[in-house]
Amino acid sequence: LDVDETALWRMTDALAHRGPDDRGTFLDPERGVALGQRRLSIIDLSPGGHQPMANDDRTVWIVFNGEIYNHEKIRRGLEKDGVRFRTRCDTEAILRLYEARGLECVRELEGMFAFAIWDARRNSLFLARDRIGIKPLYWADVGGRFFFASEVRALLEHPAVPRELDPESLYHHLSFLSTPAPATMFAGISKLAPGHRAMVDPRGVRIERWWDALDALRLS
């Protein structure tokens, strides 16, 4: 698929208010992959926290919104296993944990987060949202092209994403002042529900719940 770099810049511009400190992009035209990020520097203020962030051989890339409260604990545990870190950024903690644990990395994360990890080795995209949905994550599958962003306004900056009202969601909003996930006010645009993750590959989009409050209570 063609990568529209101009549209990617417009999409990141639409999120400038979420991350005024830095902007970054990653493009792989051969695989049809493009990632963009606006950064709000909190934990690691150095350029080392720049995103999208890659692993050592640049086969795995992450864009992340939020804060991981136990990132230092994760770092110490991985360092005991021989993993070497380049930064003090919690973004890298997620990246290294994914390399070590795969999709199950989310279960060890404590904090508020929404992230996407592109894994070129598996030709797959992995998205996850925190347990109670503090950080937002929206997505759209348009004719086999997958788009995601922290806000709907960014998705609408891409010409392939339609601007169509979803009447049922409008009804819910007018009745309850809320639109329950996965629906949004726009037809064809969904929001990833809290405690859910999505796996995207050539076979399609697969969404599953990775955390449930009732299960957590039963285990405690």
Side-chain angles (χ1 to χ4, degrees), residues 117-158:
I117 296 178
W118 162 246
D119 191 334
R121 303 167 304 181
R122 296 179 173 84
N123 196 30
S124 65
L125 181 70
F126 168 45
L127 302 97
R129 195 172 176 205
D130 62 67
R131 290 166 178 80
I132 60 175
I134 299 175
K135 292 300 180 181
L137 186 54
Y138 297 88
W139 64 274
D141 186 352
V142 184
R145 301 179 70 183
F146 186 85
F147 304 90
F148 69 93
S150 295
E151 295 186 14
V152 170
R153 72 174 71 187
L155 294 176
L156 296 178
E157 288 296 329
H158 198 287

Side-chain angles (χ1 to χ4, degrees), residues 141-206:
D141 186 352
V142 184
R145 301 179 70 183
F146 186 85
F147 304 90
F148 69 93
S150 295
E151 295 186 14
V152 170
R153 72 174 71 187
L155 294 176
L156 296 178
E157 288 296 329
H158 198 287
V161 179
R163 295 170 174 252
E164 299 179 6
L165 181 69
D166 179 13
E168 183 175 349
S169 294
L170 177 60
Y171 168 81
H172 286 305
H173 183 77
L174 294 176
S175 300
F176 310 112
L177 299 180
S178 176
T179 303
T184 71
M185 294 287 284
F186 293 87
I189 297 179
S190 303
K191 55 187 171 188
L192 190 64
H196 281 65
R197 59 190 177 190
M199 287 66 69
V200 187
D201 58 32
R203 295 171 294 180
V205 183
R206 185 173 84 257

